[in-house]
């Protein structure tokens, strides 16, 4: 499957602001929102030490191929090709973020991480904020769900950074049902931050992780993945929260060993994308339907467009836009 740059460019840069009023008045948890998995892994630093988040298959690589390991790891650590700005312009509004300090580095600097270190978190947040300043009706979900090598002082540093960068754009934690685009626009909120760590418990602009469950199938088999996504959607109605459907396959050590030189994209993602995208296209948003859907390599298909257009299904027949 070749890369199709559909939906890339800024065609979806203002999709939230362009929704019909019937949809902007609905709870945001009922709308279909495209997201990216391991969102900031479009660049990793092969010169930095291997990250403290190492998965079993990464340890396997590092042990077996010490000199070549990092070059191979790049192929298995990178899950996106697009920068934050490009993802935002393509319509991505949910970002899955894993962060870490660097071992033996002085200060409290925090980096994005997935096996290998990526950019400084501060640089990524500034890039997002620049986009939001230009697109005042667009809203992003920032889901900080994995932390590595971070003490109390690192969390204070990161939380303060989030407050400083986004300021009054940050939406206070409140009942998920009350969050509509109309409500967010009225209050000029553009950022909902989920912080899965006790250090953010009493900070009003940090939402707890239990308000955005993201069940993980942890499988390499597309059929098992779609069955898992169906099952977890059925359980969703009981939770009163946002919901992430992770439409992703996860490599195991033997997957990496078999597809060593190809990497995640060529060996696992591309060949299974048609099955995964067929599932996505068949979904319906709403009370018991999908909400946020995440994917690896969001530029390989028309992913963002397909997810955004699912929102048409919430409109009466006569108001629907052509798909």
């Amino acid at each position: 499957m070749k890369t199709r740059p559909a939906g890339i460019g800024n065609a979806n840069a203002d999709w939230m602001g362009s929704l019909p009023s019937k949809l902007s008045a609905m709870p945001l948890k009922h709308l279909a929102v495209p997201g990216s998995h391991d969102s900031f892994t479009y660049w990793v630093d092969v010169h930095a030490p291997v990250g403290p988040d190492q998965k079993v298959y990464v340890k396997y690589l590092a042990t077996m191929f010490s000199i070549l390991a990092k070059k191979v790891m790049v192929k298995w650590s990178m899950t996106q090709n697009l920068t934050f700005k490009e993802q935002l312009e393509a319509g991505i509004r949910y970002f899955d973020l894993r962060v870490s300090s660097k071992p033996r580095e002085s200060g409290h600097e925090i980096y994005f991480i997935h096996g290998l270190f990526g950019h400084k978190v501060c640089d990524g947040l500034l890039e997002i904020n620049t986009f939001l300043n230009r697109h005042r009706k667009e809203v992003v979900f920032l889901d900080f769900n994995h932390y590595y090598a971070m003490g109390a002082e690192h969390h204070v540093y990161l939380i303060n950074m989030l407050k400083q960068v986004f300021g009054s754009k940050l939406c206070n934690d409140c009942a998920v049902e009350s969050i509509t685009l109309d409500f967010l626009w009225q209050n000029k909120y553009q950022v909902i931050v989920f912080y899965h760590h006790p250090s953010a418990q009493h900070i009003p602009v940090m939402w707890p992780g239990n308000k955005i469950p993201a069940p993980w199938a942890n499988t390499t088999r597309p059929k098992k993945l779609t069955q898992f996504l169906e099952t977890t959607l059925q359980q969703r109605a009981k939770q009163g929260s946002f919901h992430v459907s992770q439409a992703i396959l996860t490599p195991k050590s033997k997957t990496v060993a078999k597809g060593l030189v190809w990497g995640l994209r060529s060996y696992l993602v591309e060949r299974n994308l048609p099955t995964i995208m067929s599932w996505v296209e068949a979904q319906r948003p709403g009370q018991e339907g999908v909400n946020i859907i995440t994917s690896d390599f969001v530029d390989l298909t028309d992913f963002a467009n397909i997810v955004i257009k699912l929102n048409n299904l919430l409109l009466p027949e006569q108001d629907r836009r052509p798909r």
Side-chain angles (χ1 to χ4, degrees), residues 138-157:
E138 300 308 294
V139 175
V140 296
F141 298 83
L142 303 183
D143 191 359
F144 288 86
N145 50 57
H146 286 71
Y147 308 88
Y148 301 95
M150 285 176 61
E153 67 283 3
H154 292 105
H155 286 286
V156 169
Y157 176 81

Side-chain angles (χ1 to χ4, degrees), residues 123-254:
D123 293 342
L125 300 183
L126 290 168
E127 195 174 344
I128 293 170
N129 195 50
T130 298
F131 174 86
L132 295 175
N133 285 336
R134 291 177 183 153
H135 304 272
R136 292 290 183 177
K137 286 192 161 184
E138 300 308 294
V139 175
V140 296
F141 298 83
L142 303 183
D143 191 359
F144 288 86
N145 50 57
H146 286 71
Y147 308 88
Y148 301 95
M150 285 176 61
E153 67 283 3
H154 292 105
H155 286 286
V156 169
Y157 176 81
L158 178 53
I159 291 166
N160 284 338
M161 183 198 300
L162 285 159
K163 288 178 178 175
Q164 284 164 12
V165 172
F166 296 117
S168 60
K169 292 187 183 78
L170 291 168
C171 178
N172 281 344
D173 176 21
C174 57
V176 172
E177 286 72 18
S178 67
I179 300 288
T180 63
L181 285 172
D182 287 343
F183 166 80
L184 295 166
W185 295 341
Q186 190 180 343
N187 291 282
K188 299 188 175 165
Y189 295 144
Q190 289 184 274
V191 183
I192 303 176
V193 174
F194 298 88
Y195 205 92
H196 301 235
H197 193 272
S199 57
Q201 250 170 10
H202 304 295
I203 299 169
V205 291
M206 298 289 121
W207 289 58
N210 62 10
K211 288 199 173 176
I212 193 154
W216 176 42
N218 193 16
T219 181
T220 55
R221 289 157 47 202
K223 192 167 181 195
K224 194 174 169 190
L225 169 66
T226 55
Q227 286 169 347
F228 176 85
L229 292 170
E230 288 297 328
T231 306
T232 50
L233 268 182
Q234 286 160 21
Q235 296 160 356
R236 179 193 167 192
K238 303 167 195 164
Q239 290 176 311
S241 57
F242 295 107
H243 182 86
V244 181
S245 296
Q246 296 198 64
I248 58 159
L249 296 170
T250 305
K252 295 178 169 45
S253 318
K254 60 184 179 185

